Amino acid sequence: MKKKAYFKADEAVTGLGRFKGLEVRIGTIVDDEWDEPMGPTPLPSPTDLRSWDHKLLTKYQPSYMPYCQVCCLCTMGKCDLTGTKRGACGLDMKGQQARIVLAAANIGCAAHLAHSRHLVDHLIEKYGPRTPLIQGPGTEIHAPVSRLVTGMRPRTLEDASIIIDYCETQLNHTLSAVATGQEGSWLDFESKVFHVGMVDQLGMEIADLAQVSTLGMPQADPDAPLVESGIGMMDKEKAIILTIGHNIVPAASITDYITEKRLWDQAEVGGMCCTAWDITRRDPKAKVIGPISWQLRFIRRGLADVVVVDEQCVRTDIVTEARKVKSPVISTSDKAVMGLPDRTDDPIDSIVKELVSGKIDGCYISDHSIVGEVATKVAIALKPSRRKMKFLPTKKQIQKMAADCKKCSECIRACPNNQNVMEAVLAAETGNLEPLREVYKNCIGCARCESACPNDYDLHSWMVVAGEADCKDEKYMVRTGRGAIQDTEIRHVGQPIVFGEIPGIIAHVGCANYPGGGDDVHHMAEEFAKRRYIIVTSGCAAISMGHVRDENGQSIYERRSGEFDAGCVVNVGSCVANSHIAGAAIKIAAIFAKRNLRGNYAEIADYIHHRVGAVGISWGAMSQKAASIAAGFWRLGVPVIVGPHGSKYRRMLLGKAEEERDWTVYDARTGDRVVTAPGPEHLFYAAETVAEANVLTAKLVIRPNDTGKGRSIKLSHYIDIHETYYGFFPDDIWKYIRRETDIPITLKNKILAQMKENKWKEKKIPDPTLLKEQVIGGGT
Amino acid sequence: MVMKPVPWQTGEICGPNAAKAMKSADVLKRDLKNCKKRLLIVGSDALTEKHGKGDMIDYAIALSKAGNMDIIATGGAIKAFVERSYERAKTMGAMELAYRLQHEDWVGPFGKGPYDMIMIYGIPYYMQWTLLSAVMNFGTHITAIAIGRYFQPHAKWSFPNMKEKQYHTILDEILELVGGGK
Ligand code: SF4
Ligand code: SF4
Ligand code: SF4
């Protein structure tokens, strides 16, 4: 490993001039104590893993569904790319769609990476570069993604910074490939999508590792605390501080200030989106209000006495919305200043005064250490007067206003979920708010309906009024993010997972752009948890999953263990904690199969792809970040399902079950080419309904390496779920039977008949790999 | 109600090409004459949409019988066909269909393709929109007829955001037309 040079100086005078805050870093992390041999691809460039990507992209070809058929990225356009036409730069429709997929993945990665960079720089400044990175007890293989991708073991914040340097360079390359006149082939665009997805996973791992190491969050803790969640949990008797976004630093300064000044009896802190998880990971007295799409329903109720936004997934009209309910906004991130005046250098009391007086709608404060004091003081000062104000219309007022509805349908046409808002408004006119309440349940809170309404109705507020009782009843206990999975847990379940006896790991992650309410996520998770699959979760999906109570009044987190084991529900944390889900799959290869991780990406991805029955589901995926997170899983060969809105990502990665060539692997023991069953059948798929997602999930956990017992368990679940949701016995079971031991015993006769009908022949169970070099003796 | 051939979801504008507005069933005559390998695609929304005394699943069965069409049900809609013991329906995912319809040699799950025409309804609007975009750009051997109520710009023919009553009347006319005008 190259020798590293690093120095930092507050001020330096060189031949080039005088530099302030000079930082020089060359090379990589020195790790003389690590005797694991270096694999073939440490710190891969955008093309180093191209041949692995091409293997996956041959098996799972992109199916493009142009979401926009013109291109307007340069002044030679707009170009009409429909059919076989090409743009002025020579790009065709497939290339353009792939380019946009790459643009999205780049954007997503950039958002996580900038967050990661900010965190690491901030923590270095606060705690020093030598601060150790600690993932928690039982995590000897800490930072598995970093090991795999970079060949390095980051042990300090300074190491973390070096890894982010690498990520930033890679992102720069993949971003530049989108420029006019750079990449031209859809295949290479797609390979770069995988690359930036991998880089994203790495950047997220570093972000979470850095914050878990320094900010007092649970460290790989299966018993991470249960915290209060839901709009109904917010105590109106106290001043309420709402935090929105993903970056813990400003939010932490709030809970720290409240703790230091012993103000918890006067103030409440609630979070939305990932900041919710991270503040509760740091301080379980804070609360998880709801997912990203709950922003308006909470703000419109006027419950927030101050709104503090950091970065990512924040409503960009937050200042306008907050102004309507007289909540001042404090923006804290240079990525989302929101047009507010910079008050960073003003005395705290004068900022507080200005905000409390309403002289300004809000302000930008870049010094996070003072955000807590300002926000708390403002909230406490404003609470008494704000509690006397009414922000929502009364039912009578709604009824009266509804009488003027023009019946123009514009509200329905604007609604992404095609909710019949107009009918609900017409019902409200008669005094019946029930249909508006129904709309509220399926609503993602986008307010597009009201933007479209020619009468300027505050339609979303009307829904909030109609759903008042549901809102108050939103009271749940959810388990906050635990961070990484312990090696000991992996040791315990590695074998049953690889052999297929624990039928699969299902990860519910991502945003809240649900086609029909958040309950679906709970339904899907429970369906598989009760069948003893391992359920992991993060982000907004983890919030929605907890927002359903059973007949005993318990949430899924109260019912189910947080330990990584069959039937569990494990919340790893915020979006950046997604990296621990990938990390768990990577660690299975290291712990159970004793594979070297170090700079050994293709071998480990090949291992995971063929042996670890993992499926990612992002039912409400909406963001570019969700795209880059998915891409990180694709490169590891892990299939991802999204909800119907995910079709707008405009390309799927689909297998063809009947093409034997696509499912042919090497048997690593002999070098023979062996045809396997089509599993996992697809790599990226938008399901139309929960029914389809459930059937597909049960099928996508099938892997070539399943033992007979494992395969029969997976097939029994697939059959049962297929019969439940589709109403008939699946007709492709015979394809998945390799030997008679694969047949679920209770269904033997039916399956034998299907096998006979399809002229089934016994198949070999190989030691599967797509990599010739993995064949013992090098495949020669 | 708009009754214009513009995308039903107002943001879903696409590109230079747009479907022709189907204001009566008769406009399909020529395509029905030219396309004999027809596939009917029925999405999950069909389960909750009424038509006459039944629902849009019943309509699918009637259309399939009248027009000698295979049905592919998406998103779990197959269950309703199974419950009605209609055997000429199979299940596939909408996204799988969007992919397979791009291939000229795809014979489909009945083995009776390649199809030269699809009639489609019942998939959530935006998802059907993307499916049809794939067909319009890469499955040019297929004549796509969208028979949901709302305008799908990537079909060859689509209703111009119909009023409900009128929509169901035209559906019945189409039924008659595919059955040879009996
Ligand atoms: S980038 Fe290419 S396709 Fe896009 S507008 Fe410019 S010339 Fe046309
Ligand atoms: S706010 Fe709700 S009802 Fe209105 S358009 Fe958005 S999702 Fe539809
Ligand atoms: S957009 Fe407004 S006026 Fe038009 S139907 Fe909807 S509620 Fe009525």
Side-chain angles (χ1 to χ4, degrees):
Chain A
M1 187 129 265
K2 270 184 272 173
K3 200 78 188 148
K4 173 196 68 129
Y6 172 72
F7 65 89
K8 190 175 175 178
D10 286 335
E11 193 161 329
V13 182
T14 74
L16 295 170
R18 177 184 285 258
F19 295 96
K20 276 204 161 167
L22 181 74
E23 213 175 316
V24 177
R25 189 183 289 124
I26 306 161
T28 54
I29 302 165
V30 178
D31 195 346
D32 298 332
E33 291 152 30
W34 196 12
D35 55 8
E36 186 170 311
M38 184 62 86
T41 55
L43 299 164
S45 78
T47 50
D48 285 349
L49 288 162
R50 188 171 177 253
S51 79
W52 167 247
D53 298 338
H54 286 198
K55 283 187 174 59
L56 287 174
L57 289 162
T58 307
K59 194 169 164 183
Y60 305 102
Q61 296 212 351
S63 165
Y64 295 109
M65 301 174 295
Y67 198 46
C68 174
Q69 296 161 2
V70 294
C71 176
C72 58
L73 279 178
C74 85
T75 67
M76 288 196 285
K78 288 187 175 179
C79 295
D80 169 7
L81 300 172
T82 48
T84 51
K85 298 190 190 94
R86 286 182 184 271
C89 63
L91 202 65
D92 66 4
M93 182 67 103
K94 285 191 178 166
Q96 170 69 357
Q97 299 308 308
R99 175 159 71 147
I100 300 294
V101 175
L102 178 56
N106 280 328
I107 294 169
C109 177
H112 288 139
L113 202 52
H115 170 196
S116 190
R117 166 59 78 198
H118 170 264
L119 263 178
V120 169
D121 284 356
H122 167 79
L123 295 171
I124 286 179
E125 205 177 298
K126 192 157 175 189
Y127 300 106
R130 305 272 173 218
T131 305
L133 296 176
I134 305 156
Q135 211 153 34
T139 55
E140 204 172 292
I141 307 182
H142 87 299
V145 180
S146 301
R147 290 172 182 223
L148 181 66
V149 177
T150 67
M152 301 190 280
R153 293 188 296 188
R155 286 179 297 188
T156 61
L157 284 172
E158 185 188 349
D159 295 349
S161 183
I162 291 172
I163 289 184
I164 295 188
D165 287 348
Y166 161 75
C167 293
E168 286 165 343
T169 307
Q170 296 311 303
L171 174 65
N172 200 3
H173 288 301
T174 53
L175 178 58
S176 79
V178 175
T180 303
Q182 295 265 50
E183 197 54 81
S185 133
W186 61 261
L187 189 60
D188 278 309
F189 276 122
E190 295 287 359
S191 170
K192 289 182 179 68
V193 170
F194 285 18
H195 188 68
V196 79
M198 178 195 74
V199 168
D200 184 41
Q201 222 162 49
L202 180 59
M204 291 193 293
E205 179 175 84
I206 292 298
D208 207 55
L209 189 51
Q211 64 181 7
V212 162
S213 302
T214 51
L215 297 178
M217 297 178 175
Q219 296 180 333
D221 181 1
D223 296 315
L226 287 163
V227 298
E228 293 183 10
S229 182
I231 294 178
M233 279 290 196
M234 298 309 287
D235 183 354
K236 286 197 284 186
E237 300 304 312
K238 298 181 188 171
I240 294 177
I241 302 165
L242 166 64
T243 62
I244 309 173
H246 287 72
N247 192 326
I248 174 74
V249 178
S253 95
I254 304 171
T255 48
D256 287 358
Y257 179 79
I258 295 176
T259 301
E260 189 194 316
K261 300 290 173 193
R262 298 168 190 256
L263 294 170
W264 282 108
D265 57 339
Q266 291 181 54
E268 281 262 80
V269 184
M272 307 196 91
C273 212
C274 284
T275 296
W277 285 131
D278 286 341
I279 41 164
T280 53
R281 287 166 93 185
R282 178 164 162 79
D283 192 331
K285 287 194 286 302
K287 296 177 180 177
V288 174
I289 299 176
I292 167 187
S293 39
W294 266 230
Q295 287 178 61
L296 284 190
R297 52 175 81 175
F298 189 72
I299 292 170
R300 294 262 176 109
R301 288 163 63 89
L303 288 174
D305 296 305
V306 66
V307 182
V308 179
V309 298
D310 51 84
E311 58 176 288
Q312 305 164 49
C313 300
V314 179
R315 273 198 74 98
T316 50
D317 58 354
I318 192 81
V319 178
T320 315
E321 282 294 335
R323 186 191 301 129
K324 291 183 194 162
V325 291
K326 302 194 176 353
S327 306
V329 177
I330 301 173
S331 66
T332 60
S333 166
D334 52 10
K335 288 133 208 131
V337 179
M338 302 292 180
L340 295 169
D342 189 347
R343 290 286 186 270
T344 309
D345 298 326
D346 290 4
I348 288 178
D349 286 336
S350 98
I351 310 174
V352 172
K353 205 168 152 197
E354 262 193 296
L355 290 173
V356 172
S357 70
K359 210 167 128 198
I360 48 174
D361 292 330
C363 66
Y364 169 58
I365 302 178
S366 62
D367 176 358
H368 296 155
S369 65
I370 62 168
V371 169
E373 184 172 349
V374 175
T376 311
K377 284 183 168 167
V378 169
I380 289 175
L382 280 177
K383 183 224 142 191
S385 58
R386 290 190 74 266
R387 287 296 175 279
K388 289 186 201 123
M389 299 175 192
K390 287 264 173 293
F391 302 109
L392 293 169
T394 63
K395 291 181 182 168
K396 278 253 155 352
Q397 286 169 324
I398 293 173
Q399 188 173 353
K400 192 153 174 269
M401 286 186 279
D404 295 328
C405 171
K406 291 186 162 66
K407 302 185 186 68
C408 64
S409 302
E410 288 302 310
C411 46
I412 314 175
R413 295 185 64 204
C415 178
N417 283 344
N418 209 27
Q419 290 295 292
N420 203 331
V421 185
M422 181 176 80
E423 290 296 331
V425 167
L426 297 177
E429 189 195 338
T430 68
N432 175 12
L433 291 193
E434 203 47 37
L436 270 174
R437 182 179 165 210
E438 277 306 309
V439 171
Y440 176 76
K441 286 185 187 160
N442 296 322
C443 168
I444 54 152
C446 68
R448 260 167 43 176
C449 49
E450 45 180 68
S451 299
C453 176
N455 284 1
D456 283 334
Y457 288 158
D458 291 333
L459 293 166
H460 189 59
S461 301
W462 297 11
M463 292 166 211
V464 171
V465 172
E468 178 79 20
D470 302 311
C471 251
K472 283 199 178 130
D473 191 42
E474 267 196 24
K475 291 182 179 172
Y476 315 95
M477 295 304 290
V478 296
R479 193 175 305 288
T480 194
R482 59 168 282 174
I485 310 302
Q486 297 187 11
D487 299 6
T488 40
E489 291 169 283
I490 301 280
R491 215 158 271 138
H492 183 59
V493 296
Q495 177 165 333
I497 290 171
V498 172
F499 289 166
E501 289 147 15
I502 288 180
I505 306 173
I506 297 166
H508 282 277
V509 305
C511 342
N513 186 18
Y514 306 126
D519 292 5
D520 287 346
V521 181
H522 171 267
H523 169 90
M524 289 188 269
E526 184 59 36
E527 176 69 273
F528 286 88
K530 76 178 184 215
R531 295 169 185 274
R532 300 185 54 73
Y533 289 66
I534 290 175
I535 308 296
V536 282
T537 185
S538 69
C540 285
I543 301 177
S544 300
M545 190 185 292
H547 280 200
V548 174
R549 287 189 305 262
D550 64 10
E551 61 281 8
N552 302 318
Q554 288 191 318
S555 77
I556 200 165
Y557 295 107
E558 292 170 286
R559 283 198 305 277
R560 300 197 169 274
S561 153
E563 194 172 329
F564 191 77
D565 201 350
C568 68
V569 172
V570 169
N571 177 16
V572 286
S574 53
C575 279
V576 289
N578 270 317
S579 50
H580 303 312
I581 299 174
I586 293 165
K587 290 210 286 192
I588 290 172
I591 293 170
F592 175 65
K594 308 225 171 344
R595 304 274 179 129
N596 289 336
L597 299 185
R598 193 175 190 183
N600 195 20
Y601 195 92
E603 179 185 334
I604 298 301
D606 180 68
Y607 180 91
I608 292 170
H609 181 55
H610 289 108
R611 290 169 175 79
V612 181
V615 177
I617 302 177
S618 186
W619 193 241
M622 66 87 191
S623 67
Q624 300 87 12
K625 292 183 294 161
S628 63
I629 291 171
F633 283 103
W634 300 330
R635 200 176 224 187
L636 284 173
V638 175
V640 177
I641 299 171
V642 286
H645 285 295
S647 59
K648 299 171 203 168
Y649 284 120
R650 77 197 69 198
R651 86 95 168 75
M652 303 286 114
L653 295 169
L654 304 177
K656 285 183 177 171
E658 74 285 2
E659 289 286 348
E660 287 198 346
R661 204 183 37 191
D662 293 350
W663 310 102
T664 304
V665 296
Y666 291 104
D667 183 345
R669 285 182 292 259
T670 62
D672 292 347
R673 302 280 287 156
V674 179
V675 180
T676 64
E681 191 176 336
H682 304 305
L683 202 55
F684 185 48
Y685 192 88
E688 182 180 336
T689 56
V690 170
E692 187 183 359
N694 282 346
V695 172
L696 194 64
T697 304
K699 195 159 144 176
L700 288 185
V701 294
I702 293 173
R703 292 293 178 281
N705 194 60
D706 299 335
T707 58
K709 188 174 162 205
R711 178 63 59 90
S712 77
I713 292 172
K714 290 183 183 186
L715 288 178
S716 319
H717 289 298
Y718 171 52
I719 292 166
D720 187 44
I721 288 173
H722 197 284
E723 286 188 313
T724 305
Y725 293 96
Y726 285 2
F728 68 102
F729 193 91
D731 49 20
D732 57 353
I733 296 300
W734 65 278
K735 289 185 195 165
Y736 295 96
I737 306 290
R738 301 156 301 178
R739 296 185 184 162
E740 291 214 4
T741 47
D742 291 350
I743 303 175
I745 203 84
T746 51
L747 302 160
K748 196 157 186 176
N749 292 343
K750 223 168 183 178
I751 296 173
L752 282 174
Q754 197 186 77
M755 286 157 64
K756 199 168 161 206
E757 205 178 301
N758 288 287
K759 301 191 179 70
W760 174 88
K761 280 199 206 81
E762 186 168 286
K763 292 180 206 88
K764 208 172 153 190
I765 304 180
D767 181 5
T769 177
L770 291 174
L771 303 168
K772 208 170 180 187
E773 58 273 25
Q774 283 302 307
V775 174
I776 295 165
T780 47
Chain B
M1 203 51 64
V2 275
M3 284 293 284
K4 275 191 233 141
V6 291
W8 171 246
Q9 293 198 327
T10 46
E12 301 280 358
I13 40 177
C14 44
N17 301 332
K20 290 189 266 191
M22 179 164 51
K23 291 186 179 146
S24 78
D26 283 351
V27 296
L28 297 181
K29 267 187 182 155
R30 183 190 296 201
D31 285 321
L32 284 168
K33 202 170 145 219
N34 292 340
C35 305
K36 292 297 174 205
K37 287 275 185 95
R38 305 170 200 154
L39 174 67
L40 178 59
I41 300 170
V42 181
S44 56
D45 287 350
L47 298 167
T48 49
E49 283 171 26
K50 297 274 155 248
H51 177 72
K53 291 200 179 93
D55 59 20
M56 287 299 285
I57 300 290
D58 296 321
Y59 179 76
I61 294 172
L63 194 60
S64 158
K65 285 180 181 164
N68 189 24
M69 297 164 91
D70 297 331
I71 295 178
I72 292 182
T74 68
I78 190 67
K79 196 171 181 184
F81 291 97
V82 173
E83 282 164 0
R84 286 165 221 204
S85 306
Y86 190 66
E87 289 186 357
R88 201 171 174 180
K90 290 193 187 278
T91 181
M92 272 181 80
M95 294 294 96
E96 288 171 320
L97 264 171
Y99 182 42
R100 299 304 186 124
L101 290 169
Q102 298 174 35
H103 300 107
E104 269 182 75
D105 53 354
W106 181 63
V107 293
F110 298 88
K112 290 198 279 179
Y115 298 102
D116 51 10
M117 173 185 278
I118 57 168
M119 288 194 171
I120 182 166
Y121 66 88
I123 298 174
Y125 182 82
Y126 51 89
M127 203 181 195
Q128 189 163 310
W129 192 101
T130 46
L131 182 156
L132 286 169
S133 170
V135 173
M136 188 191 92
N137 282 286
F138 307 121
T140 46
H141 58 290
I142 284 175
T143 300
I145 319 284
I147 55 171
R149 213 173 122 193
Y150 303 116
F151 188 68
Q152 284 287 355
H154 303 128
K156 179 174 179 188
W157 291 104
S158 177
F159 295 125
N161 301 314
M162 278 287 185
K163 289 201 172 87
E164 194 166 2
K165 202 167 155 214
Q166 200 178 356
Y167 168 61
H168 290 291
T169 309
I170 297 203
L171 283 184
D172 287 333
E173 287 169 24
I174 291 178
L175 188 59
E176 204 166 302
L177 191 71
V178 298
K182 280 172 278 174

